[in-house]
């Protein structure tokens, strides 16, 4: 760690890099120094709105959020170092992937921002998946565009540009209609060899809508796709004022390609290399695995995107992870309070999680489902949290906690089994981050057993996507000639990162498979609970 004086010098001379990421409930800014370490941060809380049956954020929400987050960062810098932010070496913007932002020839937004959260494009998703023979999830931008076509929406003829949230912010600050390869891969399928949109699929789409007579072709209205390390433009005078309303920040700062939260998550966890990946486990859970080759066929359970460098990534996304687990822990907290004991939640979590490791590898025949909401991987539109046991089950605290840890990854394992068992994807390691891994060694061991792969947990993983996009900005500015993103991360960022690896325990692997046999059989119980509407 550099001294305060060295950090002040880096700030005053414009050597620091800034990353800002728009999450679903919080916008976060991270400033890093020449050692790639975070030296200041800022946040801004925001919430999506449900307006006319659409999940959205208004333009006012977006710009107030950006400016509020930046000002919070600037205040943190001045408080810690007594410096004002006037110059930066580089800037990067990241945001939730997918969704639909459409603009006319004047640059005006045609319809309110349709976020990834909307499930209103089922017909388009199904028809495009059939046309392309490639899984197109409902949240992808192309599904939103085609659903608007199918709906006969008046605005479609006026579309001249569509992009994601990160692409929109970047465009307004630089004038450049570009997008990082990873974020672009959530708009439209990528040709991983060409590192660009799949031209054959673009032709198929244009033919599909040709009878509508629109004055545009798809390639004309998509942002240009750029790879990590490429220059994506410079902060304009107007952009500088839009970002920093005080007028202190100077124009002319270079920007890296705007990325999606999946790409920045991979960057922040050093999992962009082939045969690596990461699992983010909190309220929801998703796994990203960087592939050596394409899958043999499309799967509804698997989304295909890319790393910021354009390598193919298989993504398994599940709606439910720790909510039910946390609810049960909350019950133990309430019991502790009833005993007149002041609850220490860290101790309660740690005690219960570690107790789970004493349980039977197959959870003693106990069964649970953590479905607070629907789970597309197992075919549920809505969910019912359930705990099920037979008279023969070994019902004790250790097995009870173990089964709830197991089921938090049950849907994820269903998708990962497709990759590992059907497609024979090879993974050297996976990196775990998120709340499930907070109790040292527990969630890590459970995941290793679930996917029969070594799992690493790193202290820096908690820095998040804002740090990831700041690193991508730094990579653009400071990479050596010919230095790929993987080498940059290995040698300049994570070379001395603290963390720990854990190999799968054979008994856990075998026990998890037995649990999954019951999990699959018991889905009929979950279906009955949903159908009965209890």
């Amino acid at each position: 760690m550099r001294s305060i004086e060295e950090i002040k010098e880096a700030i005053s001379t414009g050597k620091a890099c800034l990353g800002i990421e728009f999450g679903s409930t919080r916008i976060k800014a991270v400033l890093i120094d020449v050692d790639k370490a975070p030296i200041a941060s800022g946040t801004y809380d925001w919430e999506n709105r449900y307006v006319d049956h659409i999940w959205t954020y208004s333009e006012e929400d977006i710009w107030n959020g950006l400016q509020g987050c930046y000002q919070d960062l600037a205040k943190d810098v001045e408080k810690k170092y007594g410096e004002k932010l006037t110059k930066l070496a580089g800037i990067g913007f990241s945001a939730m992937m997918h969704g639909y932002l459409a603009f006319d020839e004047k640059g005006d937004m045609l319809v309110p921002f349709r976020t990834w959260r909307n499930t209103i494009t089922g017909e388009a998703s199904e028809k495009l998946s059939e046309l392309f023979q490639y899984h197109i999830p409902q949240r992808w931008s192309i599904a939103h565009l085609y659903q608007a076509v199918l709906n006969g929406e008046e605005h479609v003829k006026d579309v001249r540009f569509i992009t994601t949230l990160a692409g929109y912010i970047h465009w307004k600050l630089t004038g450049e209609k570009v997008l990082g390869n990873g974020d672009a891969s959530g708009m439209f399928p990528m040709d991983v060899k060409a590192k660009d949109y799949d031209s054959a699929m673009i032709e198929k789409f244009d033919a599909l809508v040709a009878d509508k007579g629109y004055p545009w072709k798809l390639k004309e209205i998509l942002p240009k796709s750029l790879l990590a390390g490429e220059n994506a433009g410079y902060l304009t005078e107007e952009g500088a004022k839009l970002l920093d309303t005080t007028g202190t920040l100077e124009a002319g700062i270079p920007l890296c390609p705007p990325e999606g939260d999946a790409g920045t998550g991979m960057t922040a966890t050093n999992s962009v290399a082939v045969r690596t990946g990461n699992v983010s486990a909190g309220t929801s859970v998703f796994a990203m695995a960087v592939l050596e080759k394409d899958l043999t066929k499309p799967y509804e359970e698997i989304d295909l995107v890319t790393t910021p460098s354009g390598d193919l990534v298989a993504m398994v996304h599940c709606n439910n992870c720790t909510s039910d687990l946390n609810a049960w822990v909350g019950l133990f907290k309430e019991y502790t309070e009833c005993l007149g004991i002041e609850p220490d939640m860290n101790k309660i979590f740690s005690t219960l999680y570690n107790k789970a490791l004493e349980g039977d590898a197959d959870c003693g025949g106990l069964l649970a489902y953590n479905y607070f909401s629907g789970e597309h991987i197992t075919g549920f539109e809505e969910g019912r949290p359930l705990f099920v046991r037979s008279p023969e089950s070994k019902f004790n605290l250790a097995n009870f906690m173990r089964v709830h840890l197991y089921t938090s990854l049950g849907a994820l394992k269903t998708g990962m089994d497709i990759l590992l068992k059907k497609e024979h994807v090879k993974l050297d390691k996976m990196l775990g981050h998120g709340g499930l891994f907070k109790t040292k060694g527990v969630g890590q061991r459970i995941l290793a057993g679930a996917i029969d792969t070594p799992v690493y947990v790193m202290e820096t993983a908690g820095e998040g996507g804002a740090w990831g996009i700041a690193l991508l900005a730094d990579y653009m500015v400071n990479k050596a000639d010919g230095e790929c993103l993987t080498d940059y991360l290995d040698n300049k960022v994570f070379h001395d990162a603290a963390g720990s690896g854990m190999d799968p325990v054979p008994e856990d692997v075998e026990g998890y498979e037995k649990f999954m046999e019951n999990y699959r059989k018991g889905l009929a119980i979950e279906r009955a609970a949903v159908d009965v509407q209890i």
Side-chain angles (χ1 to χ4, degrees):
M1 187 70 180
R2 290 180 177 262
S3 68
I4 294 292
E5 288 305 315
E6 287 175 316
I7 293 174
K8 288 177 67 172
E9 192 270 339
I11 293 170
S12 64
T13 57
K15 294 177 182 175
C17 283
L18 171 64
I20 299 180
E21 179 159 282
F22 284 67
S24 56
T25 59
R26 172 169 287 192
I27 305 167
K28 184 174 181 180
V30 168
L31 192 70
I32 64 173
D33 64 6
V34 293
D35 286 336
K36 329 306 179 195
I39 54 175
S41 64
T43 60
Y44 183 93
D45 292 335
W46 71 335
E47 281 289 347
N48 53 191
R49 308 161 187 258
Y50 194 58
V51 182
D52 296 329
H53 307 290
I54 298 288
W55 288 105
T56 188
Y57 300 86
S58 70
E59 289 182 270
E60 185 180 17
D61 291 335
I62 294 168
W63 297 114
N64 285 345
L66 176 65
Q67 292 161 359
C69 181
Y70 181 83
Q71 284 306 312
D72 195 47
L73 169 80
K75 288 177 184 176
D76 191 45
V77 170
E78 194 157 7
K79 180 180 178 181
K80 287 179 176 176
Y81 309 109
E83 296 285 341
K84 291 185 180 295
L85 279 178
T86 58
K87 307 171 187 175
L88 292 164
I91 303 176
F93 291 102
S94 172
M96 302 164 280
M97 289 177 68
H98 319 296
Y100 182 70
L101 287 138
F103 304 90
D104 63 16
E105 60 184 8
K106 296 179 181 177
D108 294 330
M109 196 179 291
L110 289 165
V111 289
F113 172 27
R114 299 171 183 178
T115 78
W116 64 274
R117 190 177 180 183
N118 290 285
T119 53
I120 55 176
T121 65
E123 183 183 3
S125 170
E126 185 177 337
K127 289 184 175 180
L128 290 176
S129 296
E130 177 65 26
L131 176 69
F132 297 151
Q133 286 298 291
Y134 189 102
H135 179 46
I136 304 295
Q138 284 204 48
R139 61 186 183 276
W140 281 30
S141 306
I142 191 62
H144 280 279
L145 175 63
Y146 188 49
Q147 191 64 53
V149 172
L150 293 173
N151 294 346
E153 295 186 38
E154 184 67 21
H155 83 270
V156 178
K157 69 179 185 343
D158 298 320
V159 171
R160 296 298 180 272
F161 180 48
I162 63 171
T163 191
T164 65
L165 178 55
Y168 169 54
I169 295 161
H170 183 97
W171 168 42
K172 290 299 183 182
L173 267 58
T174 65
E176 301 291 339
K177 295 179 178 179
V178 299
L179 208 57
N181 196 274
D183 205 6
S185 71
M187 292 191 73
F188 193 85
M190 282 285 159
D191 178 339
V192 292
K193 291 182 180 178
K195 308 291 187 187
D196 202 357
Y197 304 110
D198 189 297
S199 58
M201 293 186 196
I202 283 182
E203 289 179 10
K204 286 182 179 179
F205 183 86
D206 285 337
L208 181 67
V209 300
D211 63 327
K212 304 294 183 182
Y214 296 132
W216 49 261
K217 296 290 186 183
L218 183 58
K219 189 67 181 280
E220 298 168 356
I221 63 173
L222 288 171
K224 182 181 179 182
S225 173
L226 299 176
L227 297 174
E230 292 189 79
N231 180 282
Y234 297 87
L235 188 67
T236 63
E237 293 285 352
E238 297 80 7
K241 292 173 184 173
L242 199 53
L243 177 59
D244 179 9
T245 55
T246 69
T248 307
L249 188 66
E250 298 174 4
I253 300 165
L255 272 75
C256 69
E259 263 300 346
D261 50 359
T264 58
M266 285 185 272
T267 303
T269 55
N270 193 24
S271 47
V272 299
V274 170
R275 294 173 65 117
T276 68
N278 73 91
V279 172
S280 174
T283 304
S284 63
V285 60
F286 64 86
M288 313 285 290
V290 187
L291 305 178
E292 295 177 281
K293 59 183 180 180
D294 203 350
L295 302 182
T296 59
K297 66 176 185 177
Y299 296 90
E300 284 189 22
E301 300 90 343
I302 310 293
D303 298 348
L304 291 175
V305 291
T306 63
T307 70
S309 299
D311 291 315
L312 191 64
V313 177
M315 180 178 186
V316 180
H317 185 277
C318 309
N319 293 335
N320 302 281
C321 186
T322 60
S323 293
D324 193 40
L325 181 58
N326 291 342
W328 283 111
V329 173
L331 200 66
F332 287 101
K333 169 180 177 285
E334 188 176 341
Y335 172 69
T336 303
E337 290 171 331
C338 287
L339 293 177
I341 302 170
E342 184 67 29
D344 178 340
M345 288 309 294
N346 287 331
K347 187 174 182 180
I348 291 174
F349 268 105
S350 177
T351 300
L352 292 173
Y353 272 41
N354 279 289
K355 188 69 178 177
L357 298 184
E358 300 175 16
D360 296 310
D362 65 351
C363 306
L366 302 182
L367 181 60
Y369 294 95
N370 62 333
Y371 293 7
F372 260 60
S373 64
E375 197 59 79
H376 75 284
I377 284 183
T378 48
F380 286 86
E381 306 78 31
E382 55 181 297
R384 296 290 183 276
L386 289 179
F387 169 63
V388 182
R389 65 188 176 104
S390 71
E392 295 79 27
S393 301
K394 297 178 183 177
F395 184 39
N396 55 44
L397 181 60
N399 282 337
F400 181 81
M401 289 308 303
R402 193 174 186 109
V403 77
H404 282 96
L405 282 164
Y406 271 29
T407 200
S408 68
L409 300 174
L412 184 80
K413 178 169 171 57
T414 302
M416 288 300 294
D417 279 353
I418 293 173
L419 295 177
L420 300 174
K421 295 178 180 179
K422 290 186 179 180
E423 291 289 334
H424 306 291
V425 169
K426 303 298 182 186
L427 292 172
D428 296 327
K429 65 178 180 179
M430 292 288 276
L431 194 137
H433 55 111
L436 186 69
F437 304 102
K438 190 173 181 180
T439 300
K440 188 173 182 180
V442 180
Q444 185 176 6
R445 177 173 164 177
I446 299 297
L447 176 60
I451 61 176
D452 195 12
T453 300
V455 174
Y456 287 73
V457 174
M458 303 174 76
E459 293 176 7
T460 51
E463 298 293 351
W467 183 50
I469 191 64
L471 290 175
L472 289 172
D474 185 88
Y475 171 63
M476 174 195 68
V477 174
N478 295 315
K479 68 181 185 301
D481 288 342
E483 184 179 33
C484 67
L485 180 60
T486 300
D487 289 344
Y488 163 85
L489 293 174
D490 282 343
N491 301 328
K492 295 180 177 176
V493 182
F494 294 95
H495 55 286
D496 59 355
S500 59
M502 185 177 290
D503 291 330
V505 177
E507 292 82 1
D508 291 349
V509 176
E510 183 180 352
Y512 214 118
E513 292 298 336
K514 289 181 180 178
F515 162 76
M516 287 302 294
E517 289 178 20
N518 287 336
Y519 185 91
R520 287 187 285 270
K521 291 176 186 175
L523 288 171
I525 307 171
E526 176 72 17
R527 173 56 61 193
V530 171
D531 290 346
V532 171
Q533 292 291 308
I534 59 172

